[in-house]
Amino acid sequence: MAASILVVEDDPAVALALEVALKGEGYLPLLAATGDKGLEIGLAQAPDLLILDVRLPGIDGFELLRRLRAGGSKAPVIILTAHSEPSDLMQAVSLGSDAFLTKPASDVETLAEDVWNLIEELQAARERWIVVAWHPTVNVLTTVGPYATFNQAVKDAPKRIVNTGKTQVRCARLHDPDSIDPQLQIPQ
């Protein structure tokens, strides 16, 4: 099944360019021209990636991201904007966006290529592993990595983590530290 990407963009030319580029790479683009429609689709479809314009009819891209996060979405986010104001960048970062991209005024093909490059970078980051060690006796959480593979993490981490005897060590996906799986215990 193709990964789904929610594109919330009110400029028809930009939306079409992104739709064509994403379909061409085998993704399933889900399109919305307003923040309200984006929220409806995002909550119903649980897309794998979000591409959100900031200035939208209805709720803006930042409020849309807040509501999608409140609804449980952990999907990576690319924020698109024609306005590269520092306050927008700070707000995007504070809401947990993974990338912030300024739209060119006229060249939608370049924008589609920039988005594609960011998607590739985000996918590579999602495949990386970190090792998380909890030291309850000293109340310290340590992370090491990232590692390209789980096997690499298992091999290297014990050399880099001080074992206090009660240390609990687990692996997690770099992009989603909440994904710590108790079954992925690192032998010590």
Side-chain angles (χ1 to χ4, degrees):
M1 183 174 178
S4 61
I5 299 177
L6 174 59
V7 177
V8 186
E9 171 59 62
D10 62 333
D11 181 328
V14 172
L16 178 62
L18 291 173
E19 178 183 24
V20 169
L22 294 171
K23 279 184 178 177
E25 295 296 334
Y27 293 102
L28 173 64
L30 308 169
L31 302 176
T34 69
D36 297 311
K37 187 65 175 174
L39 180 61
E40 179 185 322
I41 294 171
L43 293 175
Q45 300 287 326
D48 300 299
L49 176 74
L50 309 171
I51 301 175
L52 309 176
D53 188 8
V54 173
R55 311 277 189 291
L56 293 165
I59 61 172
D60 70 17
F62 294 132
E63 182 59 26
L64 172 58
L65 180 53
R66 273 188 208 90
R67 292 183 188 185
L68 289 170
R69 291 293 192 231
S73 175
K74 292 183 180 181
V77 179
I78 298 173
I79 295 288
L80 294 178
T81 184
H83 312 281
S84 59
E85 299 169 20
S87 61
D88 284 348
L89 176 58
M90 294 304 292
Q91 191 167 4
V93 169
S94 73
L95 292 171
S97 85
D98 297 273
F100 186 86
L101 189 60
T102 303
K103 293 189 274 188
S106 60
D107 190 1
V108 293
E109 285 151 10
T110 299
L111 176 64
E113 185 177 318
D114 290 345
V115 167
W116 171 244
N117 290 336
L118 283 170
I119 291 170
E120 286 184 326
E121 289 174 24
L122 290 172
Q123 284 178 327
R126 290 182 73 98
E127 295 304 314
R128 294 191 188 112
W129 291 88
I130 58 172
V131 175
V132 180
W134 171 248
H135 309 281
T137 54
V138 291
N139 198 25
V140 172
L141 182 70
T142 304
T143 60
V144 294
Y147 298 99
T149 66
F150 174 72
N151 288 338
Q152 196 178 33
V154 170
K155 183 178 178 183
D156 184 64
K159 300 174 203 168
R160 300 182 60 199
I161 295 174
V162 175
N163 188 346
T164 63
K166 295 182 180 180
T167 304
Q168 301 170 20
V169 182
R170 302 288 187 271
C171 262
R173 294 266 184 208
L174 176 63
H175 187 77
D176 184 11
D178 294 335
S179 70
I180 296 174
D181 185 339
Q183 301 303 314
L184 300 177
Q185 187 165 357
I186 304 289
Q188 299 178 25

